[in-house]
Amino acid sequence: MDIRFTRRTAILVFWDIAATFFAYYLASLLTGLAHEVFGTHEIYFLLGAAVVVNLSFLLVFQLYNNLWEYASVDDALRIVVAVSISTLVTAVFLWLMGHWIPIRVYLGALLLMVFFIGGIRMLFRIARSKSREFELVKHAENRPRTLIVGAGETGSLAIMRMVSKDPLMPGEPVLVVDDNVSKRKLRIHGVPVLGTSDDIKVLVDRYGIEQIVVAIPSASLEQRRRIYQICTQTDCQLRTLPNVRELRIDEIEDVSLREVDVADLLGREEVVLNTRVVCGYISGKTVLVTGGGGSIGSELCRQMCTVAPRRIVVFDMYENDAYLLRNELMNQYDDVDVIVEIGSICNPERLRDVFEKYRPSVVFHAAAHKHVPLMEMCPREAILNNVFGTLNTVKLADELGVDRFIFISTDKAVNPTSVMGATKRMGEMVIQHYAQESKTVFAAVRFGNVLGSNGSVIPIFKKQIAEGGPVTVTHPDIERFFMTIPEASRLVIQAGGMASGGEIFILDMGDPVKIVDLAKSLITLSGLKVDEDVRIEFTGLRPGEKMYEELLMNEENTLPTKMKGIMISTGKEISYSEVDSKLSDLEAILSGTDEEAVKVLERVVPTYTLTRNIACAH
């Protein structure tokens, strides 16, 4: 039996023994049967048997290893059930032994034992509650006065943990708001519900609120957007926490408040990985991820681990990120063999070594040069890596019979204005070129910017804000599509399960977001005011940079799929000979100049329009 014999346990056992004897005596006394029941010394032996039975059931119901400071209604019910069963068993046992005690004595003893046995345990909770109230008053100045948005399960959890001074849930809960008006003037763990989300700004001023905790993770997208917008108009620190219903029981006590980030403000409905679509081609298979240490590649590995591939091979040039990823995955998933191989996709011999050694069934090709301005300065390197590195990987997948090959493309490949975008468009053509003849299922997945990826604007903005500004934005009207890295990775994996060969899958990126609005949101979330504490400076479009991103070329349309968030491009097919000719032209120019490389790139990618943006401060 799982029980720790501590001083407290000894006190409870001693009390329960005494309570059992006293309950039977007092029940006999109150029913006027004391002389009849306690007329002989034999009763003490009989009550000893009752004590043994009672303690046994209290032990079975684990009433000696609870933390009674946190006792709940469920614990009280277990006491009632345990004592009721033990009393019934005692009565049957004594009757079989030929000893009879009136039924009303048993009933009276049962009620009294529940009162005595439950009472001392409730005392622990009361004592702790009073001690906590004293400590809260004593230390209230060290905890921010908090308004909780949401009077549901998640809000209740936040309040309870704050009241118990949980260091993972810092705050002094002052009031709650909820858009369900029927909850108005009710109390949650003693904290009143005083209004709706429309009253937040007024209540913040009235009650001196310093922190707002948004505890409505199950609310609709529009509701969350509206509430975050209201909250960011106050000077309060803004925090949130996950949905209680999505957590395992053992995770609830470890949930902590976190800062509201830009992903919350953008308010996209995150896609859940559809294991039915994914398991068939990943579970039990060897998967190779090129660029596996990068932001997209590493998240692909994390997401795939949930559907138990036999082996994941992380292929990357940069050993540090790949090494840390391997340690992370091996610690969390002991049933997946995670292997790191260091090398470049531009080295066909090294690439062949890895393919022949592991014989992957699935390849996710995420390795690429992605930095737009840098690739404008190094166009031949972009062509070498993004076109011929992809070609090297594709050739080996075709030669060695890989089942599926998924190429990670970008919205910058659509009507490209940059070298990076043009080389990724050429990569799409290579995929379509090989899909026509190969037994391997080749497909590409095209999507926009991901929040928090290497080189994205978010970490740059955060660093600029931390340094006091200015936050630099290229143009007041520039827009981009955004999604989170986990969401993009899940959609890529699901698209891989739907591929039949030659498709360019397009992820639904939602509505475009103005970069200047993103910068303003980050400044506000940092507790600062735009233009007062941190100013925004416009620097002009950079070389190769578009004002607006697109997901479809002019000649393309889309077809829906059975999977929400994924569409298929219906652009015209590229002939085998045409792609072969383009690749020959590009290969010849690798030994030429950068200027010549850009001219050839313009010719082989007809949708590419060379831009000469010159960044300048305004």
Side-chain angles (χ1 to χ4, degrees):
M1 189 66 66
D2 183 20
I3 179 171
R4 291 190 305 158
F5 288 97
T6 62
R7 181 181 176 186
R8 177 181 296 185
T9 304
I11 292 172
L12 287 176
V13 170
F14 177 79
W15 173 264
D16 293 342
I17 292 171
T20 304
F21 274 108
F22 188 59
Y24 276 96
Y25 174 75
L26 191 55
S28 302
L29 197 64
L30 292 174
T31 55
L33 298 171
H35 291 294
E36 181 180 338
V37 175
F38 285 84
T40 66
H41 293 293
E42 190 179 27
I43 186 62
Y44 296 102
F45 167 77
L46 301 178
L47 291 181
V51 166
V52 171
V53 172
N54 204 27
L55 292 181
S56 299
F57 277 96
L58 293 176
L59 193 62
V60 167
F61 279 82
Q62 298 183 336
L63 295 171
Y64 290 114
N65 55 1
N66 270 20
L67 287 172
W68 290 99
E69 294 91 333
Y70 302 96
S72 64
V73 173
D74 287 341
D75 296 307
L77 288 174
R78 283 198 292 145
I79 291 172
V80 172
V81 173
V83 172
S84 298
I85 295 174
S86 71
T87 304
L88 178 61
V89 171
T90 298
V92 173
F93 174 74
L94 295 182
W95 178 72
L96 291 174
M97 294 294 291
H99 300 284
W100 180 84
I101 294 177
I103 291 176
R104 57 182 181 273
V105 172
Y106 282 120
L107 292 175
L110 188 157
L111 295 174
L112 289 167
M113 279 190 289
V114 169
F115 177 76
F116 292 141
I117 292 171
I120 191 171
R121 287 161 171 81
M122 292 304 113
L123 281 175
F124 285 116
R125 177 169 181 142
I126 293 169
R128 180 181 180 279
S129 177
K130 294 300 179 184
S131 172
R132 185 176 62 213
E133 288 178 11
F134 174 76
E135 290 293 329
L136 288 177
V137 173
K138 183 178 177 181
H139 299 288
E141 67 276 7
N142 298 325
R143 300 183 305 123
R145 292 174 61 81
T146 302
L147 180 153
I148 292 89
V149 181
E153 290 179 81
T154 307
S156 174
L157 170 70
I159 294 168
M160 183 172 64
R161 297 265 301 279
M162 285 182 193
V163 167
S164 65
K165 292 195 306 177
D166 190 324
L168 297 176
M169 204 76 65
E172 178 191 356
V174 176
L175 62 99
V176 184
V177 297
D178 195 287
D179 287 341
N180 184 345
V181 293
S182 66
K183 295 181 179 180
R184 186 79 178 264
K185 296 185 179 180
L186 298 178
R187 287 180 175 267
I188 302 175
H189 304 295
V191 179
V193 180
L194 295 182
T196 67
S197 57
D198 293 326
D199 304 315
I200 287 175
K201 288 192 286 186
V202 173
L203 293 171
V204 162
D205 294 335
R206 183 180 301 168
Y207 291 92
I209 300 300
E210 302 165 290
Q211 173 179 265
I212 299 175
V213 173
V214 180
I216 50 167
S218 59
S220 70
L221 175 61
E222 289 305 317
Q223 286 174 320
R224 291 201 303 274
R225 277 182 176 168
R226 184 180 64 83
I227 288 169
Y228 282 132
Q229 186 177 18
I230 294 170
C231 292
T232 53
Q233 293 172 15
T234 71
D235 293 329
C236 297
Q237 185 175 27
L238 186 55
R239 292 185 160 188
T240 188
L241 66 165
N243 191 342
V244 174
R245 295 181 182 180
E246 295 177 357
L247 300 173
R248 300 193 308 268
I249 293 297
D250 59 334
E251 292 178 321
I252 290 179
E253 290 300 318
D254 295 326
V255 172
S256 61
L257 292 179
R258 66 168 177 82
E259 303 291 337
V260 171
D261 57 27
V262 177
D264 295 307
L265 296 181
L266 292 178
R268 285 181 58 86
E269 295 285 3
E270 289 250 334
V271 173
V272 177
L273 191 64
N274 188 322
T275 54
R276 179 179 56 80
V277 172
V278 171
C279 284
Y281 83 101
I282 288 180
S283 297
K285 306 292 178 61
T286 293
V287 182
L288 171 66
V289 183
T290 68
S295 48
I296 291 293
S298 61
E299 189 61 31
L300 284 170
C301 295
R302 292 186 189 97
Q303 296 292 336
M304 282 190 289
C305 279
T306 63
V307 291
R310 184 169 71 89
R311 178 189 294 129
I312 293 178
V313 181
V314 178
F315 186 75
D316 205 292
M317 291 177 61
Y318 306 105
E319 66 273 20
N320 290 340
D321 289 343
Y323 174 74
L324 292 173
L325 175 66
R326 181 183 184 276
N327 287 349
E328 175 193 334
L329 297 180
M330 293 294 282
N331 286 335
Q332 292 185 34
Y333 305 96
D334 54 9
D335 59 336
V336 180
D337 185 17
V338 181
I339 296 169
V340 170
E341 292 284 354
I342 303 302
S344 169
I345 58 173
C346 296
N347 183 342
E349 290 78 17
R350 175 63 182 141
L351 205 53
R352 177 175 289 277
D353 287 343
V354 173
F355 267 83
E356 291 184 341
K357 182 177 180 180
Y358 299 105
R359 297 282 174 165
S361 298
V362 182
V363 174
F364 287 95
H365 182 52
H369 288 321
K370 306 180 185 73
H371 197 285
V372 170
L374 286 182
M375 292 307 102
E376 294 299 301
M377 298 167 62
C378 311
R380 284 179 296 158
E381 179 62 27
I383 293 169
L384 177 64
N385 193 80
N386 293 359
V387 178
F388 290 99
T390 297
L391 182 62
N392 292 336
T393 316
V394 165
K395 281 182 175 179
L396 283 166
D398 173 54
E399 178 186 334
L400 298 178
V402 169
D403 293 335
R404 288 173 189 265
F405 185 107
I406 309 301
F407 173 66
I408 310 300
S409 188
T410 170
D411 57 355
K412 293 174 177 61
V414 179
N415 302 322
T417 59
S418 65
V419 168
M420 192 281 278
T423 56
K424 294 296 279 186
R425 173 59 192 144
M426 193 65 221
E428 291 181 353
M429 293 185 207
V430 170
I431 295 299
Q432 292 177 308
H433 165 66
Y434 268 81
Q436 296 175 45
E437 302 291 335
S438 178
K439 292 181 180 179
T440 298
V441 173
F442 286 100
V445 182
R446 188 190 288 166
F447 55 92
N449 297 273
V450 286
L451 293 167
S453 65
N454 297 332
S456 75
V457 296
I458 307 299
I460 295 171
F461 284 171
K462 285 183 177 179
K463 185 174 184 293
Q464 291 174 335
I465 292 167
E467 293 172 349
V471 172
T472 56
V473 178
T474 56
H475 193 282
D477 295 325
I478 192 168
E479 291 183 345
R480 291 291 181 267
F481 293 102
F482 285 100
M483 63 169 47
T484 66
I485 297 175
E487 180 183 14
S489 300
R490 291 183 201 119
L491 287 170
V492 167
I493 295 169
Q494 289 179 173
M498 295 187 292
S500 58
E503 300 98 337
I504 296 179
F505 291 98
I506 299 170
L507 305 189
D508 180 4
M509 299 293 297
D511 298 322
V513 176
K514 279 194 172 184
I515 300 298
V516 67
D517 291 341
L518 206 59
K520 289 176 180 178
S521 296
L522 277 170
I523 293 170
T524 303
L525 288 176
S526 301
L528 302 170
K529 292 185 178 179
V530 178
D531 293 332
E532 290 185 27
D533 301 313
V534 178
R535 66 186 179 87
I536 295 175
E537 183 178 287
F538 298 105
T539 58
L541 292 176
R542 299 173 298 176
E545 191 170 39
K546 278 183 174 183
M547 183 76 77
Y548 309 103
E549 295 289 10
E550 307 160 273
L551 289 173
L552 288 172
M553 287 181 286
N554 297 332
E555 72 272 14
E556 288 182 316
N557 288 308
T558 60
L559 293 174
T561 68
K562 294 180 180 179
M563 195 65 58
K564 181 182 178 183
I566 302 176
M567 301 166 288
I568 297 177
S569 162
T570 59
K572 65 178 183 180
E573 291 187 357
I574 309 295
S575 71
Y576 187 94
S577 57
E578 185 180 354
V579 174
D580 214 35
S581 172
K582 293 175 186 291
L583 289 171
S584 297
D585 291 345
L586 288 171
E587 187 175 18
I589 204 60
L590 288 176
S591 57
T593 67
D594 286 338
E595 290 75 15
E596 291 171 331
V598 171
K599 289 179 180 178
V600 172
L601 196 59
E602 274 191 289
R603 189 172 72 249
V604 301
V605 181
T607 54
Y608 171 36
T609 304
L610 178 63
T611 61
R612 298 291 185 188
N613 297 327
I614 300 176
C616 58
H618 280 47

